[in-house]
Amino acid sequence: MQSFNQKMLRFFQDLWPAEEKPIVPGEGNADHPPVMLIGEAPGEQESLQGRPFVGKAGKNLDGFLRVLELNREDIYISNVVKIRPTKVSDKGRVSNRPPNKEELALFTPYLMEEILLVQPKMIVTLGNFALKALCGPRAVIGDMHGRTTRVLLTHGKQQAEFNVFPLYHPASIIYNRSLQAVYDEDLQALRQLL
Ligand code: URA
């Protein structure tokens, strides 16, 4: 995993000066973990600390782990896009934005390689970006959340099938409170499966 991350860091640091767009690599149990969690992209805290799901997103992760009776170091945690996508307002304020097509196209092959190296027993995607990265552009979270889908993933000459369990992104629940009950129910279904 270390050599994968070093290769990825070298490639992307050639594209952006590290101080401008720090890379946030995946981390955790990279040897057949029970769960590989895949988010969208790092936010401000993740970018500052160089680690996925810290800060506010880390609080959501704690709740997720509590329900599944797992520790952070038991699982592998990553994002589709490994830099923080940002926009700058007229007043110069920097804020998060969704990943764009170019970022998704650039980072998705690395995610495939990462998954094939880690060989997780279950992949849990958070939100539409992670779901589409694995299941294709027509996959929709509203149709696929809360149950396992088998997905064939390819990177170069390597291919393998994985279990994918899509969840709504915890951030989307903040904007749509009615999703909280759906998310909780889906998490219980995942707990039964694990
Ligand atoms: N932090 C992450 O690392 N990923 C997300 O998807 C959201 C917050």
Side-chain angles (χ1 to χ4, degrees), residues 98-175:
N100 62 30
K101 271 194 192 145
E102 289 74 24
E103 289 156 348
L104 291 166
L106 193 61
F107 283 98
T108 301
Y110 279 84
L111 178 66
M112 297 304 137
E113 189 175 352
E114 197 177 17
I115 295 169
L116 285 157
L117 278 170
V118 171
Q119 293 286 321
K121 297 189 182 100
M122 178 69 83
I123 298 172
V124 177
T125 57
L126 294 181
N128 255 323
F129 283 98
L131 173 65
K132 285 177 192 287
L134 302 195
C135 300
R138 295 162 80 121
V140 182
I141 186 80
D143 298 337
M144 296 180 71
H145 70 93
R147 61 187 165 83
T148 310
T149 301
R150 292 283 288 173
V151 179
L152 182 69
L153 299 182
T154 306
H155 180 73
K157 288 186 182 148
Q158 270 185 291
Q159 247 190 1
E161 262 195 43
F162 292 92
N163 294 317
V164 176
F165 193 97
L167 287 178
Y168 280 101
H169 198 293
S172 63
I173 295 166
I174 297 168
Y175 303 108

Side-chain angles (χ1 to χ4, degrees), residues 7-72:
K7 187 176 78 175
M8 188 187 69
L9 285 170
R10 271 198 303 274
F11 179 79
F12 290 109
Q13 277 167 359
D14 283 347
L15 295 178
W16 300 287
E19 65 280 4
E20 196 183 308
K21 284 279 175 190
I23 308 290
V24 180
E27 66 172 32
N29 174 6
D31 183 16
H32 292 84
V35 169
M36 175 171 176
L37 186 70
I38 305 178
E40 182 177 304
E44 185 181 15
Q45 275 308 312
E46 286 76 13
S47 189
L48 286 171
Q49 298 183 40
R51 298 184 62 202
F53 287 91
V54 290
K56 217 186 223 172
K59 292 242 159 59
N60 287 325
L61 178 62
D62 290 344
F64 170 90
L65 292 168
R66 217 176 302 119
V67 173
L68 301 182
E69 293 180 51
L70 290 168
N71 296 313
R72 187 173 170 118

Side-chain angles (χ1 to χ4, degrees), residues 165-185:
F165 193 97
L167 287 178
Y168 280 101
H169 198 293
S172 63
I173 295 166
I174 297 168
Y175 303 108
N176 183 354
R177 279 280 155 203
S178 64
L179 288 180
Q180 183 69 56
V182 179
Y183 178 86
D184 292 343
E185 204 176 295

